Amino acid sequence: MPKEHLNPPRGTRDFFPEDMLFRNWLFERFKETSRLFGFQEVDAPVLESAELFTRKAGEEIVEQLYHFEIHDRHLALRPEFTPSLARMVSNRAGSIRFPLKWFSIPQCWRYERMTRGRRREHYQWNCDIWGEASEVAEAELIAMIFHCISEMGIPKNVVRLRLNNRALLEETLRAGVLAKTPEAFEPLCVIIDKLDKIGKEAVIEQLCAPEGPVRISRASSQETVDLLSVKTLKEASQNAPPNSSAIESLKKLFSLLEAYGISDRVDFDASVVRGLAYYTGIVFEAFDTAGNLRAICGGGRYDKLLETLGGPSTPAVGFGFGDAVIAELLKEHKLLPEISRNVDAFVLALGKEEQQSAVKLANRLRAEGNAVELALAPMRVRKALQEADRAGASTLYVIGPEERDRGVARARSLESQDEWEVHL
Ligand code: HAM
């Protein structure tokens, strides 16, 4: 078999020990932030019925599905966690106490065109609040994102969040260009979401394509795209119908974000609509301010998803935050953490005769709660010092024939180079 066939498929990763150190460090930040905000952890299978994910709005995520048939079942690797979460909530809808706040760190699979920070497999921190219709839920989630980013050591000015309300665009379009075809709103959002990637002209082409899902006139397409250039809430309010509930909701959210002390890191941006069909209200995405990377995270309100799965109408809002873009950002800003292996002690027997004593010492140190690396074979002290240093150990214990006869081990601090003896 050619060697490349044994490698992980393109866009997927092996995780070597140093990769796991970083991954665990990152997940620890996700978990600790979730804990601080009162979220409980959940998980679901990575393999689901393909039907759970196949929506008809033309979303990229559906085209990117890894799926296959086996024993007459059509299965797929999850491209995202939200549909599984909705299923879990739906299955317990009768007994669950709302609001519920759940988080997870699932591995997700998408057959993506690979760019910097976009892979075919990624881990995605998901935080979702179910059963709360007010903007307090959005504010908590956005606060979590900034909290977590700051716990990673990323300075304030490096990440900003862009915010919009899908309902705002919906209100305007349903009163205008989509008056006769309100069902075209979801596919329209999916097309608009590609604006940054494919540009204005291509978006207009897709909106007015006679075979496309939206099929509005060129003039209406142009009008729709023009609405997206609005960058202030004030201007959006002027364009919106009077007493717009979408504007009210945005204003409430901004005033809450002020209370959290993060409103100065959030911008209104009418072009943010998100590429997933199920969002119904406020949507948001965080980006690096230098504009070098794709979205660091994204989410929004999806109050109707549970109904589409046959469950009761339940408000819901959440976000997904991947492990890949943030790693690129940390690298770019030289903020990747130096993580040691957390070994406390390295224990060496100089010869086979001292091995038993070394094992007993390692046992004792471990019983006291120390992480101990026991040299599996004799080696020179110089080599042991290097190994101990590499493992991040603070103390090296050496037992030679003379120490064994006296019932002691020689200890040396790798920090101060002090030496002392311990009784065996
Ligand atoms: P999404 O925008 O598709 O939303 O993904 C959320 C985040 O996952 C992205 O901002 C990015 O950090 C990461 N991500 C997505 N695809 C990739 C990829 N191919 N490679 C690396 N990272 C990626 C969702 O998936 C929604 N289900 C999030 C959500 C939860 N909405 C409500 N609750």
Side-chain angles (χ1 to χ4, degrees):
M1 195 188 297
K3 193 167 172 280
E4 63 267 24
H5 289 183
L6 301 176
N7 285 336
R10 203 169 125 73
T12 71
R13 297 168 281 185
D14 285 329
F15 287 88
F16 290 95
E18 62 278 15
D19 305 318
M20 285 307 294
L21 283 177
F22 173 70
R23 189 171 112 183
N24 288 335
W25 176 88
L26 194 64
F27 286 14
E28 204 33 61
R29 263 96 212 128
F30 293 157
K31 287 182 181 176
E32 180 57 12
T33 304
S34 306
R35 191 187 70 79
L36 284 179
F37 283 76
F39 280 63
Q40 288 179 290
E41 188 164 8
V42 295
D43 202 359
V46 67
L47 201 61
E48 295 273 14
S49 289
E51 216 183 326
L52 188 65
F53 305 113
T54 45
R55 299 177 293 255
K56 295 199 179 64
E59 295 155 287
E60 212 171 28
I61 201 170
V62 178
E63 287 155 21
Q64 295 169 335
L65 210 57
Y66 280 88
H67 61 110
F68 56 92
E69 293 205 359
I70 184 166
H71 302 305
D72 293 331
R73 297 266 166 90
H74 188 191
L75 300 177
L77 291 175
R78 62 179 167 211
E80 57 160 337
F81 193 67
T82 314
S84 306
L85 183 66
R87 186 259 325 283
M88 289 170 76
V89 174
S90 174
N91 284 349
R92 290 231 175 140
S95 58
I96 253 168
R97 277 194 315 150
F98 291 112
L100 65 79
K101 303 192 288 182
W102 284 355
F103 85 95
S104 57
I105 312 178
Q107 190 182 32
C108 299
W109 293 80
R110 302 180 187 185
Y111 196 80
E112 279 268 3
R113 202 172 56 81
M114 302 237 301
T115 56
R116 195 169 158 214
R118 277 294 181 275
R119 328 188 44 85
R120 295 194 173 152
E121 138 289 300
H122 72 282
Y123 284 89
Q124 195 190 87
W125 177 40
N126 275 253
C127 293
D128 292 83
I129 302 181
W130 287 75
E132 180 51 58
S134 86
E135 297 74 14
V136 183
E138 276 91 339
E140 277 277 284
L141 292 164
I142 293 171
M144 288 176 89
I145 293 171
F146 282 120
H147 178 88
C148 192
I149 285 175
S150 114
E151 285 301 299
M152 292 173 193
I154 296 174
K156 238 179 139 183
N157 56 353
V158 172
V159 176
R160 294 190 72 78
L161 190 117
R162 298 181 198 157
L163 186 82
N164 188 17
N165 192 342
R166 250 198 201 188
L168 183 61
L169 187 65
E170 193 170 5
E171 271 175 2
T172 314
L173 297 186
R174 286 203 169 154
V177 304
L178 293 185
K180 292 204 183 98
T181 51
E183 71 285 355
F185 182 68
E186 283 181 8
L188 177 137
C189 287
V190 171
I191 295 174
I192 286 177
D193 181 62
K194 299 181 210 156
L195 188 68
D196 274 349
K197 215 174 357 169
I198 64 175
K200 259 187 186 179
E201 278 315 308
V203 165
I204 291 173
E205 281 309 316
Q206 292 194 17
L207 289 178
C208 61
E211 306 301 322
V214 180
R215 295 193 293 273
I216 49 177
S217 68
R218 187 166 282 275
S220 301
S221 304
Q222 180 68 55
E223 195 185 310
T224 307
V225 169
D226 288 344
L227 285 173
L228 309 177
S229 57
V230 175
K231 294 278 187 264
T232 66
L233 194 50
K234 194 167 165 206
E235 200 186 335
S237 315
Q238 284 156 5
N239 293 345
N243 304 323
S244 154
S245 57
I247 291 285
E248 272 317 297
S249 175
L250 282 164
K251 283 185 178 159
K252 268 190 217 149
L253 178 54
F254 267 104
S255 74
L256 280 164
L257 294 177
E258 223 171 290
Y260 281 92
I262 50 178
S263 58
D264 58 339
R265 301 168 73 180
V266 180
D267 304 303
F268 172 80
D269 184 335
S271 72
V272 173
V273 293
R274 310 267 301 134
L276 297 164
Y278 49 66
Y279 292 112
T280 52
I282 285 179
V283 281
F284 49 86
E285 281 176 341
F287 288 90
D288 64 308
T289 41
N292 293 335
L293 299 164
R294 288 178 64 174
I296 296 166
C297 64
R301 185 166 279 283
Y302 50 101
D303 287 349
K304 302 217 171 90
L305 182 61
L306 207 62
E307 276 166 84
T308 63
L309 294 176
S313 158
T314 313
V317 54
F319 68 80
F321 185 131
D323 63 340
V325 181
I326 199 70
E328 289 293 327
L329 187 70
L330 288 165
K331 213 184 294 167
E332 191 172 298
H333 288 265
K334 302 197 169 39
L335 290 169
L336 280 176
E338 278 190 24
I339 316 165
S340 83
R341 286 173 48 204
N342 271 340
V343 169
D344 298 307
F346 193 95
V347 174
L348 170 71
L350 283 182
K352 289 224 162 59
E353 294 70 30
E354 288 82 49
Q355 201 75 48
Q356 293 240 344
S357 307
V359 167
K360 284 184 186 154
L361 176 60
N363 269 351
R364 193 178 88 202
L365 292 168
R366 284 174 182 150
E368 288 164 4
N370 299 291
V372 177
E373 186 155 331
L374 176 69
L376 299 177
M379 64 180 81
R380 287 170 187 274
V381 174
R382 233 179 90 160
K383 173 102 189 302
L385 273 169
Q386 285 169 357
E387 292 291 325
D389 194 41
R390 214 169 284 150
S394 54
T395 316
L396 169 69
Y397 295 89
V398 180
I399 307 174
E402 192 233 335
E403 286 82 15
R404 189 198 50 185
D405 290 346
R406 291 199 294 118
V408 296
R410 202 154 25 94
R412 184 202 281 202
S413 159
L414 272 86
E415 283 142 26
S416 63
Q417 308 304 325
D418 286 350
E419 290 203 347
W420 66 100
E421 285 184 351
V422 290
H423 287 281
L424 294 174

